[in-house]
Amino acid sequence: KELQKIGTTNKCYKLLDDSTSIVDLKKIGEKTRRLYKLEQENKKRKEIVRLDGDEVILPPIKRGRVSEKPSQPKKQQVGQKKTAKPPTRKRRRTVDPTVDGWFPDTDDLNRRAVSKDDHSNIVRLHGLPVGVKPEHIRKFFQGLDPSLIFVLPSNKTALDGWDVQYDSYNLASAGRIKIDRCFNVFRVFVKFQSALVADAAIERSGEWIGLDKESAATRQDGMKGAAISVSPVPKRVASYLQK
C-alpha cells in the first residue's frame, strides 16, 4: 500500500507488507507533522522565499536613507558686489643696527627666471659690499660648502634681465646705504654640489654677509656687515659659464 501526500507534503511513504506495526505508522505521522509545522514556520519568515518551478521571486531590497546632497554654495547674484578682503600686512624685517639692511631687489630677475626644475647648481650674488673676499662668501654660505667662487670679466654695460638695476653711487649719495656696494655689473657666481644645495643657498637672499673692519668701506662706525641678494642661474647659462 502507498500513502500519498500525507499532510501537505509531496513525499510518498510505502508500507512494505501488512506486518508493519502500528508503531511505525505513528512514527511516520509524527515525522509528517514536524515537516508540516516546519513548513508553516518557514512561510512566516519574510527573508525566506519559496520558489515554485522555474519562477524566481526575489524579496524586495530594503534601502537605507538616501544621504542628503551636500549643500552647494549659493551663486552670487548678478550686480552684487564681492566683499573685498582686508589687505594682509607684511611683517617688517628687523635688522641689526650694526648691519646695513639694504639689498638689491631681484624680484624682476626671479619673474623672468625659468621654472625651479631648470635651476642649476650655480647662483649669482648681488649687492656685495666693497672689499668683500672669498672667505667672507664661504662664511656666508656656511653649511652648504660652496665648491667654486668665480667672477666674470668686467663689462660695464648693464644687461636687461641679467643685471639688477641699481646705482651704488646714487644710493650712497642719498644715504640709503651704510656700506659702499660693488656696481651692479660686478658679476660674482658661486657653484655648489647640486641644484638642491643651490636652492637652499637662494633662501639666504636678504641675509647679511660679515666683513672685516679694515676691508669694509663703511660710512658709519661700528658696522659689521651688509645684506646681499642671491638669484638662481638657469642650466643653459650655467653650462655656458663653465665652458
Side-chain angles (χ1 to χ4, degrees), residues 12-31:
C12 299
Y13 299 90
K14 185 177 180 181
L15 299 177
L16 298 176
D17 51 18
D18 297 337
S19 62
T20 304
S21 63
I22 300 175
V23 179
D24 295 335
L25 189 58
K26 288 182 179 180
K27 290 182 180 180
I28 294 173
E30 292 175 357
K31 185 176 181 180

Side-chain angles (χ1 to χ4, degrees), residues 142-158:
Q142 186 176 4
L144 301 180
D145 298 329
S147 58
L148 181 65
I149 301 172
F150 60 95
V151 183
L152 288 185
S154 177
N155 183 357
K156 295 182 180 180
T157 304

Side-chain angles (χ1 to χ4, degrees), residues 150-187:
F150 60 95
V151 183
L152 288 185
S154 177
N155 183 357
K156 295 182 180 180
T157 304
L159 303 176
D160 186 30
W162 178 263
D163 299 313
V164 179
Q165 300 300 322
Y166 73 90
D167 191 337
S168 59
Y169 178 77
N170 292 335
L171 290 172
S173 301
R176 295 183 57 188
I177 58 176
K178 302 174 183 177
I179 295 179
D180 290 338
R181 308 300 180 95
C182 298
F183 291 104
N184 59 336
V185 294
F186 183 59
R187 303 177 179 98

